[in-house]
Amino acid sequence: MEPSTSLPETLRRLDELITERGLNRADIFDVQALAAKTALPATVVRRLVKGGKPTPDTVSDRVCARMKVVSDAYLADTGKEMKNLAADLHKSLGISDVWARSVCDGKKMPNVDLLHHLAAYFRVEGGERFFTAPADEALNRVLLPVLQKLEGPDTDPLSQLMREYGVESAHMRQDGSMTRDQLERVLKGVLQSVLPQKGESGT
């Protein structure tokens, strides 16, 4: 996936695929899941996926806010307390417990070197850029793999066959109130009527 693709372009292409394939937009743009993956507030993610602009901020604002989100998530996942995390960072990175706590609480801005090590410690995707990127770039980074998967080779034989013969499942559901299971049964019947059966010549 080309890294130069902007969020508006990614959203446009995703919306086209959602319409074309009759997908559920809420599944693709799951606000809570995207917020967790980007360390962005859900309100910001919701505004961005609707085509809105990110609120102006500074790099320091981004780093501090996202560091707190990542630290809080880490504590929730591991069951550790902040004092344990601070002690571990002191041991691993050589910073004081007080400074570690302030950084993880989002109260202090770490320098570039420390941010690099914190990104590795918390195993965030994108390294330091995870914390410093503007909100639209951060969301785009997470949505691009989704777009790549949807635009990739189709592994669903039913969808592939329907597109080959110009049949849109979304249109059939809308026009005939036909579910996917019903579509599968119809197509199976059609295939069974044209394919050679067992015992026939050529099998």
Side-chain angles (χ1 to χ4, degrees), residues 7 9 74 104 108 116 118-119 133 148 179:
L7 179 61
E9 173 65 8
Y74 176 85
C104 290
K108 297 292 184 181
H116 172 78
L118 288 169
Q148 184 178 32
T179 66

Side-chain angles (χ1 to χ4, degrees), residues 18 22-31 33-34 143 146:
I18 289 170
L23 303 175
N24 186 346
R25 195 174 194 275
D27 291 338
I28 304 298
F29 299 119
D30 184 327
V31 172
L34 293 173
L143 288 176
V146 178

Side-chain angles (χ1 to χ4, degrees), residues 42-180:
T43 53
V44 173
V45 173
R46 188 174 292 107
R47 181 169 66 249
L48 290 174
V49 298
K50 290 181 178 179
K53 301 294 184 181
T55 302
D57 60 3
T58 66
V59 173
S60 179
D61 291 336
R62 299 168 199 161
V63 172
C64 290
R66 294 175 202 174
M67 185 60 66
K68 178 169 174 53
V69 172
V70 169
S71 299
D72 288 347
Y74 176 85
L75 294 176
D77 290 342
T78 62
K80 293 182 178 180
E81 296 182 0
M82 178 59 77
K83 63 180 181 181
N84 303 124
L85 175 57
D88 193 31
L89 289 174
H90 166 67
K91 180 179 179 181
S92 301
L93 306 182
I95 58 176
S96 71
D97 290 29
V98 174
W99 183 248
R101 183 186 293 269
S102 295
V103 169
C104 290
D105 278 337
K107 296 176 180 177
K108 297 292 184 181
M109 169 74 175
N111 60 34
V112 175
D113 185 60
L114 177 57
L115 185 61
H116 172 78
H117 291 295
L118 288 169
Y121 180 89
F122 288 111
R123 298 179 181 178
V124 297
E125 294 184 11
E128 305 96 295
R129 196 64 182 164
F130 177 92
F131 295 103
T132 62
D136 55 342
E137 182 182 318
L139 180 58
N140 195 46
R141 175 185 57 81
V142 172
L143 288 176
L144 278 174
V146 178
L147 176 61
Q148 184 178 32
K149 182 177 180 180
L150 290 176
E151 288 187 334
D154 198 339
T155 57
D156 183 351
L158 174 61
S159 297
Q160 188 174 1
L161 181 65
M162 291 177 70
R163 281 199 297 277
E164 182 178 344
Y165 286 95
V167 179
E168 292 290 348
S169 60
H171 293 165
M172 292 187 70
R173 286 197 299 270
Q174 292 168 2
D175 297 340
S177 299
M178 190 176 292
T179 66
R180 182 180 178 84

